[in-house]
Amino acid sequence: MSGHRIVGTKVPKLDAWDKATGAARYGHDVSLPGMLHGKILRSPHPHARIKRIDVRRAEALPGVHCVLTADRVRVGKLGFLGDHPVLKGDKVRCVRDEVAAVAATSEAAAEEACALIRVEYEPLPAVFDPLEAMQPEAPRIHENAPDNLVPHRYEFRHGDAERAIAGSAHVVQGTYRTQFMTHCCLEPCFALAAFDPAGRLTMTSSTQVPYLMQSHLSRALGIHGKDVRVLQPTIGGAFGSKLDTHPYEVLAALLARHSGRPVRILYTREEEFVCAPTRQPMIIRMATGCDREGRLTGRVCEAILDNGAYTSWGATTPHIMLVGISSLYKLEHVSFRATCVYTNNPWSGAFRGYGNPQGTFANEQQMDELARKAGIDPVEFRIRNANDPNSTTPQGFRVTTCALKECLDTAATRVGWREPKRPNEGVGIAGMFHVGGGGRVYKSDACGVIAKLDDFAHLTLLTGATEIGTGSDTAMAMLAAEELGLPLGNVSVINNDTDAAPWDVGIHASRTTFIAGNATLGAVREIRRKLLPWAAKELGCSEDAVELHDGSAWRRDDPARSAPIEKLVRTAHFREQGEMFVGQCFYDPPNQFQDPKMRGNVSATYSFAAHAVRVRVDPETGKVKILKFVAAHDIGKVINRLGLEGQIEGAIAQGIGYALTEQLRIDGGRVGNASFLDYKMLNAADLPEDVEIHFIESADPAGPYGAKGVSEAGLIPTAAAIGNAIRDATGVRLHRLPMSPESVLAAIRAGEQEALDSELEVTGPLTRSGT
Amino acid sequence: MSGEARRSADGGRRTGRKTGAARRAGSGRRPSTVDRRPPTPADRAPAWQITLSVNGDPYRVSVRPNRTLLDVLREELGLTGTKRGCDQGECGACTVHLDGRTVNACLVLAIDADGSEVTTIEGLARRGELHPLQRAFVEEGAIQCGYCTPGMILQAAALLRQNPSPTSAQIRTGMAGNLCRCTGYAKIVKAIGKAAEVMKGQRKGRAS
């Protein structure tokens, strides 16, 4: 794939100039004439019955326009299973629960009004540990879920994994626990709702799913979808947190409806920590076996997810968690079961990687341990089991391109896998498998693009594909410019208005470059087809002999002859019965919705990667210092090298935070560290300087110019790679995230005790086999 | 007060901020609906007249005593390039220059900034020409969602004024008070290093 003029180069993001000068308008920067400020009163109790709400003093406060409680509004429920009331009327199930909402002329008045609302609660017994919540005597959180289990089952069986493990030469088993992690978008959440006099709602939102949000709002508010327009300003970070429509967004609309004025709700940072979704903590019990030659025999995995009080899209993360467990390596026998359990903790949602970072923390540490037991080098062990191109995995994933072996080899070589180590130093490696060609979690996995080439050769891409900072719109512009031979500066992308742009399912699953990229190519190729006859006529040659580049059409056999594209467009436009150059494409990838048995080719292609890390562990303090970090990613094809590096670098930083420092400390259902001072997100000085990123171009036949999705991949194997390096450095293995200095130190001091403890916790089918 | 809220370009903000009166003023001003601290009556207190020079333009503003410099910049003057990230001096998104030093605008009471000169991200470009730091952030891919970018660039400008040739480690330490969730900082560090080179070249050009 050579000869590209734009694809594969380093290009600044289209919006970078506006962002560097302060001109970009984020949600917090948008206000409307007559706008009121909304505030939400939340429950201080993790589980309580609401006896009485008295809003009289709040309503009497000057400046207050509207106070809403559950008994004053008719509003539908939210959430993946529709179990989430927007305003809680009968009882509250977690501390962030919305009990009342106020609209007032200032934020201060709205806050004051919230404080004047008297709510009488009858506290109920609460449960915060998913294992306790599964016990028969546990408090019941939802009336229709007597066992506190989310009524959505995840079970996958292929072959006979228990038998395969029992017959294995070597078996590793363990229980792994992951923590609450939160997105820390630098821009706190906001919503701005305004109704026009005809009753049509315009919702300004940083949602990742503008078209699904239309339906969510339509259902919740009881209005037709045609009466919901979603506008997206510049979005200050998302990472999965805006995959759901949240109560505060519906509340902004309800307050606007009831006050007759536009209403804006801005979260404080504290609200952002307490009330935005989290990555779900998991308890993962896993056993993996191999034969004497080090070939994997089977794997059994059971996962318990802390769902929190309500069910968001996050409850579907076991789908993506399983892809890494079942399909990173060749496995004949797999058994998987995941259960989402209601607790009185804040509810968890979608977060970059979507369950795969949790699962990979377990299975890639097991691979390491298994290699040690089998006496095989962990890199060689992985390469021996790595997937091959053109293979089908137990879940029915059709792996077309696969450069996992090259990724493992590159990462190991560059980290100095075989080089001598100083005392307390260790190296670790972990692989990764993820969807790279969309992920069909909705009936359609499509994206629509309309392309319009005007008579100055300016190309506008109208699309629903949301830009959340990843640079997906820049990639689309590059693909379009390459295909039509236009300078990149001729292309703009309009993707922030459901009234203007065609449908897209949303930005998630590392899908946008792949799917919106293919949709872009489909749309601009239609323009190209319309343009070529005009070029051929102008240049006096056949259409086959025309090349488009640098803003002009050229005769391939006579480079002296060219015609500017804008002139061709004008020639076609400005005549009787002229022609316009518009192309459209609704690209739905060739992937499948999984059946209830979790089988089906969920993505049109799959991404692979390996991360290798060299660490030094301070034996006195337990602090882990990363000396070198190498990431090797099978990305299909580089579209924008600058954006791609940025995606991987940013994901690695989140992955290191996930591995070592980040944890939302929730005790008794209450968040104890709701500030950046107490929630340790890594800063510039914390991160390793020596980070290398390598791209392996496997040229995927389904991808736009061969590209695969990549935005989540960089954080999926990171924690496992670091865990393996800690094991190499210290001889102890940690089964719990984050691997903070105190837990590393405790593990070192206890020797293998922690590992033994967690093996003792394993009960049930997993204990039938063993070592 | 504002002295405590100010910080040096070596990222020393985090130490001073908790003890400052600004912290108390800040948290009292925005009572939380999460744990329901009682509201402050300060919003009904009489307003004060202050003067500010922002990006070279003179302003006279009437502010209540609990309003911060960040409130005034964003809500009174419409300079929304300065971002509100935490209102607690912890994220650096609202970093501006106050009389030549970087501050978290969320920790400075507006009345304490009376008579001061303020530079925000909107004042960094000169006659439409981007500041070398702005250009380097764009060209090096140091911007993703961009919400931290204005604060990052102003912090970096102060850093380069103190230390025109920082090492990469010095840049990392100097930027430690500004949080970014998207980039992993690598390209930010690189952009600042590149801008330092460009600015050195410009100084040489002017000197010769």
Side-chain angles (χ1 to χ4, degrees):
Chain A
M1 300 281 271
S2 60
H4 298 143
R5 288 162 197 270
I6 295 170
V7 164
T9 61
K10 286 190 164 192
V11 168
K13 274 167 69 38
L14 297 182
D15 57 10
W17 286 269
D18 274 353
K19 288 174 172 175
T21 57
R25 302 254 296 166
Y26 295 79
H28 280 242
D29 306 333
V30 182
S31 58
L32 292 174
M35 184 182 83
L36 300 176
H37 301 266
K39 280 285 167 190
I40 297 166
L41 178 71
R42 299 171 189 279
S43 165
H45 300 285
H47 199 193
R49 203 163 294 290
I50 299 173
K51 306 274 283 183
R52 201 168 292 108
I53 305 180
D54 182 352
V55 300
R56 282 171 298 179
R57 289 177 66 208
E59 283 182 314
L61 193 72
V64 171
H65 278 242
C66 172
V67 180
L68 297 182
T69 54
D71 59 356
R72 293 181 168 201
V73 293
R74 281 168 56 93
V75 58
K77 291 183 178 178
L78 294 175
F80 180 69
L81 296 174
D83 62 6
H84 194 172
V86 171
L87 277 170
K88 284 68 179 175
D90 53 345
K91 73 172 193 171
V92 291
R93 297 176 179 85
C94 64
V95 290
R96 63 167 89 161
D97 266 9
E98 297 80 1
V99 175
V102 176
T105 47
S106 70
E107 274 195 292
E111 281 166 356
E112 194 170 343
C114 280
L116 290 173
I117 296 171
R118 292 283 161 259
V119 186
E120 202 180 309
Y121 295 98
E122 176 196 330
L124 297 169
V127 62
F128 308 106
D129 179 325
L131 296 178
E132 285 174 23
M134 292 167 80
Q135 301 304 316
E137 69 276 13
R140 186 185 292 192
I141 296 163
H142 288 271
E143 291 313 306
N144 58 358
D147 46 7
N148 285 333
L149 301 186
V150 174
H152 202 70
R153 298 282 176 264
Y154 298 95
E155 207 160 342
F156 173 74
R157 293 190 70 81
H158 185 78
D160 187 342
E162 283 82 3
R163 183 198 290 250
I165 285 175
S168 296
H170 307 282
V171 173
V172 170
Q173 54 183 313
T175 300
Y176 305 82
R177 288 167 193 263
T178 67
Q179 78 279 40
F180 282 104
M181 179 196 194
T182 189
H183 303 74
C184 295
C185 300
L186 257 282
E187 180 186 34
C189 291
F190 84 97
L192 171 57
F195 282 90
D196 71 12
R200 189 160 195 259
L201 169 67
T202 297
M203 173 65 80
T204 305
S205 164
S206 51
T207 180
Q208 293 177 237
V209 289
Y211 298 85
L212 302 193
M213 186 185 221
Q214 282 183 299
S215 313
H216 300 155
L217 291 174
S218 147
R219 274 202 302 275
L221 298 167
I223 57 179
H224 198 281
K226 74 177 170 54
D227 290 327
V228 181
R229 177 189 191 186
V230 177
L231 291 178
Q232 294 156 293
T234 305
I235 295 173
F239 314 110
S241 64
K242 283 124 186 173
L243 203 59
D244 284 275
T245 298
H246 298 268
Y248 73 88
E249 294 167 313
V250 180
L251 286 173
L254 286 171
L255 289 169
R257 175 192 273 170
H258 284 260
S259 66
R261 301 266 287 268
V263 173
R264 187 177 71 182
I265 293 177
L266 305 180
Y267 270 16
T268 63
R269 178 55 57 186
E270 185 183 14
E271 276 181 300
E272 186 75 13
F273 272 107
V274 176
C275 312
T278 63
R279 187 189 293 289
Q280 43 286 111
M282 291 193 193
I283 302 165
I284 302 167
R285 303 192 317 181
M286 188 181 281
T288 309
C290 72
D291 65 16
R292 273 190 185 75
E293 285 72 46
R295 280 187 297 266
L296 292 179
T297 49
R299 171 171 292 158
V300 177
C301 177
E302 286 181 56
I304 308 287
L305 284 73
D306 187 343
N307 190 62
Y310 304 102
T311 309
S312 73
W313 269 103
T316 66
T317 49
H319 276 294
I320 302 301
M321 175 194 190
L322 176 57
V323 301
I325 288 169
S326 76
S327 302
L328 173 55
Y329 300 106
K330 282 178 273 194
L331 262 173
E332 289 298 315
H333 303 277
V334 188
S335 160
F336 173 83
R337 193 168 68 204
T339 310
C340 302
V341 184
Y342 286 117
T343 65
N344 293 112
N345 287 321
W347 47 276
S348 42
F351 197 157
R352 196 176 200 172
Y354 214 70
N356 206 348
Q358 293 98 312
T360 301
F361 177 64
N363 59 278
E364 273 300 82
Q365 288 210 96
Q366 292 219 324
M367 288 296 284
D368 206 66
E369 211 53 46
L370 207 49
R372 288 173 187 277
K373 281 200 174 180
I376 301 171
D377 175 81
V379 175
E380 167 56 26
F381 184 74
R382 285 178 171 83
I383 288 176
R384 209 173 279 187
N385 287 289
N387 254 309
D388 293 313
N390 304 311
S391 56
T392 301
T393 81
Q395 281 191 273
F397 302 154
R398 285 191 289 280
V399 173
T400 50
T401 52
C402 167
L404 178 58
K405 289 173 188 169
E406 293 89 327
C407 289
L408 288 163
D409 187 54
T410 303
T413 306
R414 294 299 311 168
V415 88
W417 187 256
R418 289 176 213 292
E419 284 168 23
K421 287 167 279 191
R422 295 201 181 125
N424 303 312
E425 270 185 26
V427 289
I429 194 165
M432 182 292 320
F433 174 95
H434 200 63
V435 293
R440 190 172 292 268
V441 294
Y442 196 72
K443 289 163 279 185
S444 168
D445 196 13
C447 172
V449 172
I450 297 169
K452 171 178 86 76
L453 182 66
D454 74 12
D455 49 285
F456 301 108
H458 181 86
L459 181 80
T460 305
L461 298 175
L462 276 166
T463 177
T466 297
E467 158 66 33
I468 51 173
T470 60
S472 53
D473 58 353
T474 309
M476 292 172 73
M478 291 173 79
L479 291 164
E482 183 75 49
E483 195 71 16
L484 286 179
L486 295 170
L488 189 60
N490 285 35
V491 187
S492 58
V493 181
I494 294 178
N495 58 347
N496 59 356
D497 185 349
T498 54
D499 272 8
W503 194 87
D504 175 71
V505 72
I507 183 157
H508 64 250
S510 304
R511 68 184 283 280
T512 302
T513 293
F514 184 94
I515 289 174
N518 272 327
T520 300
L521 289 179
V524 298
R525 279 173 185 159
E526 188 179 335
I527 291 180
R528 191 187 163 97
R529 277 196 300 278
K530 291 176 178 171
L531 192 63
L532 284 183
W534 294 92
K537 197 170 160 194
E538 179 72 24
L539 299 174
C541 62
S542 71
E543 288 177 33
D544 296 343
V546 176
E547 284 179 350
L548 302 178
H549 58 80
D550 297 302
S552 291
W554 306 76
R555 250 183 90 147
R556 192 175 287 118
D557 58 359
D558 182 3
R561 296 195 61 184
S562 68
I565 290 172
E566 59 176 312
K567 187 176 165 226
L568 297 175
V569 178
R570 284 197 287 270
T571 307
H573 269 202
F574 303 128
R575 61 197 297 124
E576 287 180 10
Q577 307 303 316
E579 185 180 0
M580 71 171 185
F581 295 100
V582 173
Q584 59 159 24
C585 179
F586 190 61
Y587 175 81
D588 196 22
N591 57 14
Q592 298 167 328
F593 209 69
Q594 287 192 346
D595 67 18
K597 293 182 171 172
M598 302 186 81
R599 286 169 200 274
N601 190 35
V602 73
S603 184
T605 188
Y606 298 89
S607 292
F608 295 85
H611 286 187
V613 58
R614 177 176 291 262
V615 303
R616 186 169 59 234
V617 181
D618 185 331
E620 300 298 319
T621 64
K623 190 168 166 57
V624 177
K625 184 173 171 57
I626 295 175
L627 305 172
K628 187 178 180 75
F629 199 107
V630 184
H633 282 254
D634 168 7
I635 44 72
K637 164 79 185 169
V638 177
I639 303 292
N640 181 5
R641 189 167 290 274
L642 208 53
L644 191 53
E645 288 171 356
Q647 285 305 296
I648 304 292
E649 287 165 358
I652 289 171
Q654 290 183 357
I656 295 174
Y658 186 50
L660 298 179
T661 66
E662 291 188 40
Q663 180 172 25
L664 208 53
R665 295 195 174 273
I666 298 182
D667 185 17
R670 291 178 175 84
V671 177
N673 57 342
S675 73
F676 281 128
L677 196 71
D678 299 317
Y679 181 94
K680 181 54 184 168
M681 186 182 128
L682 300 178
N683 65 39
D686 295 323
L687 283 161
E689 283 216 33
D690 193 354
V691 177
E692 272 184 29
I693 296 171
H694 299 272
F695 298 127
I696 291 156
E697 297 193 315
S698 58
D700 197 86
Y705 283 71
K708 304 184 188 186
V710 74
S711 286
E712 296 164 288
L715 85 67
I716 291 168
T718 303
I722 294 171
N724 291 338
I726 293 172
R727 166 69 179 81
D728 192 45
T730 64
V732 297
R733 181 168 299 284
L734 281 91
H735 290 71
R736 197 183 279 265
L737 287 175
M739 298 176 282
S740 60
E742 54 267 42
S743 62
V744 173
L745 193 59
I748 294 171
R749 294 213 168 137
E752 290 284 353
Q753 197 58 43
E754 170 154 339
L756 290 172
D757 284 348
S758 48
E759 293 214 358
L760 289 176
E761 288 170 26
V762 176
T763 55
L766 287 179
T767 53
R768 275 202 289 141
S769 56
T771 50
Chain B
M1 192 273 357
S2 60
E4 283 170 319
R6 287 175 202 191
R7 60 199 159 95
S8 60
D10 63 6
R13 161 187 27 210
R14 283 167 177 268
T15 49
R17 49 153 287 284
K18 270 276 192 185
T19 58
R23 163 76 173 184
R24 288 191 291 279
S27 55
R29 193 190 55 76
R30 298 179 70 80
S32 157
T33 50
V34 175
D35 60 5
R36 295 199 299 156
R37 278 190 288 265
T40 165
D43 257 76
R44 289 190 280 276
W48 295 48
Q49 291 289 322
I50 62 164
T51 59
L52 289 173
S53 167
V54 183
N55 303 327
D57 293 329
Y59 292 95
R60 177 177 286 277
V61 198
S62 167
V63 293
R64 294 190 200 286
N66 63 338
R67 304 294 278 170
T68 63
L69 178 60
L70 178 60
D71 294 333
V72 168
L73 290 172
R74 289 181 53 82
E75 290 157 30
E76 306 295 329
L77 308 186
L79 295 170
T80 53
T82 305
K83 298 302 175 201
R84 189 191 300 279
C86 69
D87 254 335
Q88 295 174 318
E90 291 168 358
C91 77
C94 66
T95 304
V96 298
H97 294 176
L98 181 68
D99 293 331
R101 300 180 60 187
T102 54
V103 293
N104 287 311
C106 72
L107 292 187
V108 178
L109 289 176
I111 51 175
D112 276 342
D114 188 13
S116 296
E117 288 188 10
V118 180
T119 304
T120 70
I121 190 69
E122 290 93 342
L124 219 52
R126 293 268 175 247
R127 287 184 291 277
E129 173 123 356
L130 294 192
H131 187 281
L133 274 163
Q134 292 174 308
R135 187 168 291 284
F137 267 61
V138 168
E139 289 171 354
E140 292 300 317
I143 300 170
Q144 288 185 29
C145 93
Y147 203 75
C148 71
T149 304
M152 284 279 179
I153 288 177
L154 284 158
Q155 175 65 19
L159 173 72
L160 294 185
R161 205 156 46 215
Q162 275 194 0
N163 180 359
S165 312
T167 63
S168 155
Q170 286 169 330
I171 294 173
R172 285 180 179 271
T173 310
M175 299 306 293
N178 290 66
L179 295 178
C180 169
R181 190 51 150 173
C182 299
T183 64
Y185 306 101
K187 298 209 179 303
I188 291 173
V189 173
K190 201 170 165 197
I192 295 169
K194 180 179 170 182
E197 291 298 317
V198 171
M199 290 162 74
K200 239 184 291 176
Q202 286 177 345
R203 275 191 297 276
K204 266 189 207 144
R206 274 198 299 275
S208 60

